[in-house]
Amino acid sequence: MNDAATAGSARARELETRIREEALFGRLPLLKGEREYSTRGILATGFSYAVAAWCFLIGGYAANYVGAVEGMVALIAGSVAGVTMSSAAAALACNRYGLEQIDYTKTGFGQNGAKLVLVFYVINQIGWTGMILVMFARGLMNTAKTFGFDGGETLVRVAVLVGLVICYLVVIKGVHVLNVFNAIITPGLVIACVFLFWSIFKDDGWSKLVAAAPIEPTGDGPLDSVIAFEMGLGAGFSWWPGIGFLTRNTDTQRNSLYPQILTMGLGMGVVCCTGLLAGLLFRDGDPTVWLPLVGGKVFGTAALLLLAIANISAGAIMMYTGALGLRHVRALHKVPWKTLTLITFVPMLPFVVAPTTIYEKGSSFLTYNATMFAPIAGLLLVDYFLLRKQRVNVSQIFEDGPKGHYRFLGGFNVVAVGCIMLGQLLYVWLLNPVTYEAHGPVRVLTASGPAVVVPMLVYWLVSKLWLIPKGIGGYGAPTAALPVERPNI
Amino acid sequence: MDQAAFEAALKDELDKRIGEVSDYRDDAFGHIGAGEMAVVFVACVLLPVVLVLVLR
């Protein structure tokens, strides 16, 4: 009798734990009393996200096109503007309703349309993970080189594979392990940044920096400036997939918005400048090349190792959120976590086969993030603020039945999907993110500007003229909870 | 754990949570109004864009 009662109690506890995990790390709406981040907490977390290894990479890319002053303005302005655009709608909605980001996106794109956004989301996670793992591998290669061992591309390939395996093991064991990593990495990176700024600015560094020409400019000044700005914006927009994951856990609307702008926008922009200035000074944008040059063998090796650990940690977090995102696909609902994570890792294999080739195209990937997320962010702003007046029906987000408010047409808000395609095509026409071939008024209007504003206007107009009068999409419908007939969780 | 029991518990929990978050009023987390959002956009989006275009 006692054994049965103990077993029953253990089952109840296990069930409670799984439900709690489903709320914190899964898709259940997070309640007001469960929010963990106050101002201090979200600032600390946002800062540990912002001071990440890729900042050095982003600054290094910008050093190819612009000088010190122009680059600093472009990177800081771009990342602040990008993060503000990314976080405004998603942060406030995810905070108010405790929603996971892709779930919130269903209100704008439809139950199936949100899965298209999920594809961009997963590309972002896989792309950044791959890039920083190659950076990790090149860091190891260059560290080995300073000790007289030149492993070349083979060592890079092996190290990327090892990095992938470590990330996989961390993800399946639980990302809680990373809290320990981050306790060391974040202060370490802050110290490294301060040391880097000091090293760069000592001995007339500033006058040298101002005089330093960009490494590989296109020769078209205004275009170079726009490319650098688009890199800053790309860095800011890269946060779009992660915003909801953080802000649903904040305690107020203001804490869901301003700390992100301050840390992931302003903070990241400033740290990116380290990469920019070091790149200009040492004439190479690759941090795995200039880090040993800045601080000599000891500091360089320590910094590269720190970067290596930071990259593994960041890679594991991104693969974790990428795998979580795949839970939105009904066919993958019941796939065991280990298998689901493995599926997320499969598209990473090209980074093992041709690491350096892909790494050298990193700046294109950075700009492509602006291409992907600028129109999405703009459209959600119109949908949440202007059309829905900051109110959604949470029960309908989880309703997969044909009468659900966010079914739109066959599960797709065709207007929203059409508008993001319009925005992305417009961006690529204005500034090809791979070749940087430019057309039209890109030098004056930038590429992200029209790619955000035009879809916003078209979406607002077509919604007012068609979606809302036809009663499609639940605009203006009561937000009181309705019974969920076919839950999509 | 029995998957069916977990899914049933998950559905119950989902219904409970949907009910609770749907009842949150506008000011449950401190409302950011249109005026404040406009200031944010001018300061954090328009101003940075203008700075880049003017200072290049």
Side-chain angles (χ1 to χ4, degrees):
Chain A
M1 181 69 184
N2 273 347
D3 286 351
T6 310
S9 156
R11 267 199 302 275
R13 270 201 307 277
E14 191 188 347
L15 196 62
E16 195 181 317
T17 306
R18 279 190 69 181
I19 294 288
R20 168 85 181 142
E21 280 180 357
E22 191 61 35
L24 276 178
F25 304 109
R27 293 181 46 211
L28 284 176
L30 210 52
L31 303 177
K32 193 175 178 184
E34 293 172 329
R35 314 293 174 92
E36 290 180 352
Y37 296 138
S38 59
T39 309
R40 191 187 294 178
I42 190 65
L43 277 172
T45 308
F47 196 67
S48 69
Y49 271 45
V51 188
W54 49 63
C55 295
F56 299 136
L57 210 54
I58 294 165
Y61 293 143
N64 286 322
Y65 298 95
V66 286
V69 176
E70 203 172 356
M72 286 169 79
V73 173
L75 287 173
I76 294 174
S79 58
V80 168
V83 167
T84 306
M85 290 291 294
S86 295
S87 48
L92 296 191
C94 292
N95 166 261
R96 172 165 177 166
Y97 297 105
L99 290 169
E100 189 273 333
Q101 178 113 346
I102 293 293
D103 274 325
Y104 154 65
T105 309
K106 288 171 182 169
T107 62
F109 289 88
Q111 293 289 350
N112 294 330
K115 287 174 188 134
L116 285 178
V117 180
L118 180 64
V119 173
F120 298 132
Y121 176 106
V122 174
I123 289 174
N124 171 284
Q125 305 287 338
I126 288 171
W128 274 119
T129 308
M131 291 301 295
I132 58 177
L133 284 183
V134 178
M135 192 174 158
F136 152 77
R138 288 174 63 90
L140 285 186
M141 180 190 74
N142 287 333
T143 308
K145 232 187 231 176
T146 59
F147 290 98
F149 175 71
D150 187 1
E153 183 80 347
T154 309
L155 178 60
V156 176
R157 287 196 186 105
V158 172
V160 172
L161 189 61
V162 170
L164 277 175
V165 172
I166 298 172
C167 285
Y168 177 70
L169 291 175
V170 169
V171 174
I172 61 168
K173 290 284 175 199
V175 283
H176 310 288
V177 180
L178 293 174
N179 289 339
V180 182
F181 275 30
N182 288 337
I184 305 162
I185 293 164
T186 308
L189 284 176
V190 171
I191 293 167
C193 278
V194 172
F195 180 78
L196 284 173
F197 270 118
W198 175 77
S199 302
I200 290 165
F201 286 117
K202 70 173 181 171
D203 306 331
D204 300 327
W206 179 244
S207 48
K208 244 190 267 174
L209 279 169
V210 172
I215 303 167
E216 288 175 343
T218 63
D220 178 341
L223 180 62
D224 285 333
S225 175
V226 166
I227 290 173
F229 183 50
E230 290 296 337
M231 286 175 176
L233 283 168
F237 280 120
S238 292
W239 289 114
W240 187 87
I243 292 287
F245 185 72
L246 284 177
T247 60
R248 70 198 283 259
N249 217 341
T250 52
D251 61 350
T252 67
Q253 290 269 284
R254 288 182 179 85
N255 276 342
S256 76
L257 180 62
Y258 299 132
Q260 328 310 325
I261 298 174
L262 209 60
T263 56
M264 296 174 189
L266 186 63
M268 183 177 72
V270 171
V271 180
C272 285
C273 292
T274 328
L276 166 83
L277 301 178
L280 286 169
L281 208 56
F282 297 100
R283 313 308 294 164
D284 195 315
D286 185 349
T288 66
V289 172
W290 57 251
L291 262 175
L293 299 174
V294 180
K297 204 169 177 177
V298 175
F299 173 79
T301 305
L304 281 175
L305 286 176
L306 182 72
L307 214 57
I309 302 168
N311 286 342
I312 289 288
S313 161
I317 287 177
M318 282 192 289
M319 293 318 288
Y320 179 80
T321 53
L324 269 184
L326 289 181
R327 283 276 188 227
H328 286 276
V329 180
R330 188 173 279 277
L332 300 175
H333 276 188
K334 290 178 185 169
V335 172
W337 179 242
K338 285 182 184 176
T339 316
L340 186 71
T341 315
L342 201 58
I343 293 170
T344 322
F345 274 82
V346 171
M348 308 279 302
L349 290 178
F351 287 96
V352 179
V353 179
T356 303
T357 311
I358 302 176
Y359 188 70
E360 283 167 358
K361 287 284 172 201
S363 63
S364 302
F365 175 68
L366 175 62
T367 322
Y368 189 68
N369 275 291
T371 320
M372 283 192 285
F373 294 116
I376 292 173
L379 194 134
L380 288 173
L381 281 175
V382 172
D383 193 77
Y384 188 64
F385 287 104
L386 302 183
L387 302 178
R388 297 196 187 277
K389 314 285 184 203
Q390 301 191 46
R391 284 180 185 84
V392 300
N393 190 315
V394 181
S395 65
Q396 298 304 290
I397 287 174
F398 293 94
E399 177 59 86
D400 228 4
K403 289 182 184 165
H405 290 182
Y406 308 126
R407 284 295 294 175
F408 291 89
L409 300 167
F412 292 91
N413 180 357
V414 287
V415 184
V417 173
C419 282
I420 59 159
M421 285 172 70
L422 170 71
Q424 292 179 348
L425 288 173
L426 195 57
Y427 189 108
V428 174
W429 177 71
L430 285 162
L431 182 68
N432 185 318
V434 178
T435 62
Y436 289 133
E437 192 183 338
H439 293 103
V442 65
R443 291 167 187 81
V444 180
L445 298 178
T446 73
S448 290
V452 170
V453 176
V454 173
M456 281 170 87
L457 290 174
V458 174
Y459 183 65
W460 180 80
L461 198 66
V462 180
S463 299
K464 284 280 186 190
L465 294 176
W466 182 51
L467 288 179
I468 297 172
K470 289 278 182 193
I472 302 169
Y475 294 96
T479 53
L482 300 168
V484 180
E485 289 169 10
R486 197 179 160 208
N488 57 21
I489 198 163
Chain B
M1 184 200 291
D2 178 6
Q3 184 64 20
F6 172 67
E7 282 175 18
L10 191 64
K11 171 75 171 69
D12 288 345
E13 188 67 21
L14 177 67
D15 289 339
K16 194 181 94 186
R17 285 170 182 263
I18 286 173
E20 189 164 338
V21 299
S22 298
D23 286 342
Y24 291 155
R25 301 173 67 90
D26 277 355
D27 59 356
F29 298 97
H31 187 63
I32 296 185
E36 191 172 337
M37 279 312 292
V39 172
V40 171
F41 275 97
V42 170
C44 300
V45 179
L46 284 182
L47 192 64
V49 173
V50 171
L51 267 177
V52 169
L53 294 178
V54 170
L55 293 178
R56 68 187 179 183

